Amino acid sequence: MTTRLTIRTPDDWHLHLRDGAMMEGVLPHSARHFGRAIIMPNLVPPVVTGDQAAAYRDRILAALPEGESFEPLMTLYLTEATNAEDVRRAAESEIIRAVKLYPAGATTNSDSGVRDFDKVRGVLETMAEIGLPLCVHGEVTDADIDIFDREAVFIERVLDPIRRTTPGLRVVMEHITTYHAEQYVRSAEENLAATITVQHLMLDRNDMLVGGMRPHYYCLPILKRREHRETLVRAATDGSDRFFLGTDSAPHPTHKKEAECCAAGCFTAPIALSCLAEVFEAAGALDKLEKFVSQNGAAFYGLPQHTSEITLEKGAPLELPNFVETGSGPVTVFDPGQPLHWRVV
Ligand code: NCD
Ligand code: ZN
């Protein structure tokens, strides 16, 4: 039985760090285990220009604990007013590594997102030309579409048309939650990949809703039924190149989660790798964990693999932290509801 696993340093291809006191509180929990992360731009107000991304990156680097070599990979929040030349300049100077598309109103802080996709066509064409990936929050926001169907409908109504009108555009479907998305990625050309979160590999909607409603499991896209989770586990563990980790670790102060109208997001960063080792071990695929967390994402983004390594060790069930204290209040750490045995040493 494997009880020790050494892999290249992992990266997180979808991370919310927020800003200010919250960022200072949560950043060490990603920097400890991950070498790089794609940093989401949904601040208030959002990060929309190259200059704003550079300033945000400087704030993150300034908040890094001594001796950590974490590299934030910045993104711009696509709006109908985004300037294609600004995107080109920021990409060419390596200030940004991707642009993020939020359909307006899809999730936390997405009000400035895109309503009319014709308005962003010029930016998408520039991105296709320079090979800059578009990260997509793949849910429609139409009030008449059921929340559990919003990903599948997005593929058909929005994503597939965008990919047809902008051939060559590199796209990451983020935090996929359904077999519709998994099938779409597998059937597409190599310029389409997908990230998968920890919670969507471990939980289904019953875990969130049966026997009482668990606000710390509420995230967007919302947890789906068990069959979808099983499909995602296969996608992550079968050695495919096209699926990789994006934790979507999304901290909110505990009082905003345990509220009448609960904020969406699971704060998984501190225990993400312990959770994933458990999932991969249960699938008999510990040997594929390195591809999923350390290799596929870097290859898709055209970045070098890390030469450094981390080691995970299996032992007695871990004592999980309940909270991380931040200057914006305590943030409840994701609890998958099952014992975890693997820890990063
Ligand atoms: C994210 C957040 O809190 O910023 N929430 C979430 O449920 N995943 C936004 C997002 O990625 O949708
Ligand atoms: Zn997110």
Side-chain angles (χ1 to χ4, degrees):
M1 193 177 72
T2 312
T3 54
R4 231 179 126 79
L5 184 66
T6 297
I7 59 174
R8 284 169 197 271
T9 302
D11 300 310
D12 184 349
W13 300 97
H14 181 133
L15 176 64
H16 298 269
L17 285 179
R18 317 301 189 200
D19 210 346
M22 174 64 88
M23 184 258 285
E24 286 165 22
V26 299
L27 173 64
H29 297 278
S30 287
R32 191 173 299 136
H33 295 161
F34 294 95
R36 296 172 285 213
I38 285 277
I39 308 300
M40 286 296 123
N42 63 333
L43 306 182
V44 186
V47 179
V48 293
T49 67
D51 284 350
Q52 289 168 345
Y56 184 27
R57 183 180 61 183
D58 289 347
R59 296 196 294 279
I60 296 169
L61 291 174
L64 261 186
E66 282 279 315
E68 296 282 10
S69 62
F70 180 77
E71 186 186 356
L73 307 172
M74 309 311 291
T75 60
L76 295 186
Y77 188 119
L78 184 61
T79 72
E80 292 176 5
T82 296
N83 177 298
E85 280 318 301
D86 183 53
V87 169
R88 183 194 297 273
R89 266 194 309 275
E92 284 173 355
S93 54
E94 300 187 349
I95 288 167
I96 60 162
R97 298 293 182 170
V99 170
K100 173 77 188 231
L101 167 65
Y102 287 103
T107 185
T108 315
N109 305 337
S110 64
D111 297 343
S112 327
V114 177
R115 286 172 216 278
D116 178 356
F117 288 87
D118 284 338
K119 298 223 170 93
V120 297
R121 189 131 300 147
V123 176
L124 298 183
E125 273 158 20
T126 299
M127 291 172 62
E129 182 195 319
I130 62 178
L132 185 70
L134 179 70
C135 294
V136 175
H137 183 109
E139 290 190 292
V140 291
T141 52
D142 315 44
D144 59 329
I145 306 292
D146 188 275
I147 187 170
F148 291 100
D149 299 333
R150 289 180 171 198
E151 184 172 279
V153 174
F154 179 87
I155 296 169
E156 196 184 299
R157 286 199 197 162
V158 183
L159 184 56
D160 200 56
I162 286 179
R163 295 187 58 248
R164 282 174 200 275
T165 45
T166 321
L169 182 65
R170 298 178 68 68
V171 175
V172 182
M173 275 194 85
E174 302 202 276
H175 42 54
I176 62 166
T177 61
T178 59
Y179 49 69
H180 307 95
E182 182 261 359
Q183 284 297 307
Y184 184 68
V185 171
R186 286 196 199 268
S187 68
E189 308 85 72
E190 297 203 337
N191 59 13
L192 180 64
T195 59
I196 308 179
T197 76
V198 170
Q199 65 270 21
H200 292 101
L201 289 170
M202 298 192 91
L203 304 176
D204 61 53
R205 63 195 194 180
N206 277 7
D207 296 304
M208 178 176 61
L209 296 172
V210 173
M213 213 164 78
R214 291 175 180 73
H216 296 291
Y217 289 169
Y218 174 65
C219 68
L220 291 171
I222 199 154
L223 295 170
K224 305 296 191 301
R225 60 193 314 138
R226 188 184 64 213
E227 291 82 344
H228 292 289
R229 184 184 70 77
E230 289 167 351
T231 303
L232 299 177
V233 170
R234 272 197 299 282
T237 59
D238 77 357
S240 157
D241 294 336
R242 238 84 81 68
F243 300 95
F244 41 87
L245 174 65
T247 63
D248 194 16
S249 180
H252 292 276
T254 295
H255 71 271
K256 295 214 167 145
K257 294 289 296 174
E258 296 173 6
E260 190 173 21
C261 180
C262 144
C266 301
F267 178 52
T268 54
I271 60 157
L273 292 173
S274 299
C275 288
L276 291 169
E278 208 77 33
V279 169
F280 276 66
E281 184 180 44
L286 270 178
D287 61 325
K288 301 294 194 309
L289 182 65
E290 184 178 35
K291 271 199 96 184
F292 183 70
V293 301
S294 316
Q295 295 183 296
N296 291 348
F300 188 84
Y301 275 88
L303 293 170
Q305 313 265 326
H306 291 292
T307 47
S308 55
E309 295 177 326
I310 62 157
T311 296
L312 290 138
E313 243 174 43
K314 187 175 181 182
L318 304 185
E319 296 276 342
L320 299 180
N322 291 329
F323 299 103
V324 161
E325 292 295 344
T326 78
S328 304
V331 179
T332 300
V333 178
F334 178 74
D335 172 355
Q338 65 176 80
L340 298 176
H341 303 86
W342 291 87
R343 66 193 172 92
V344 181
V345 293

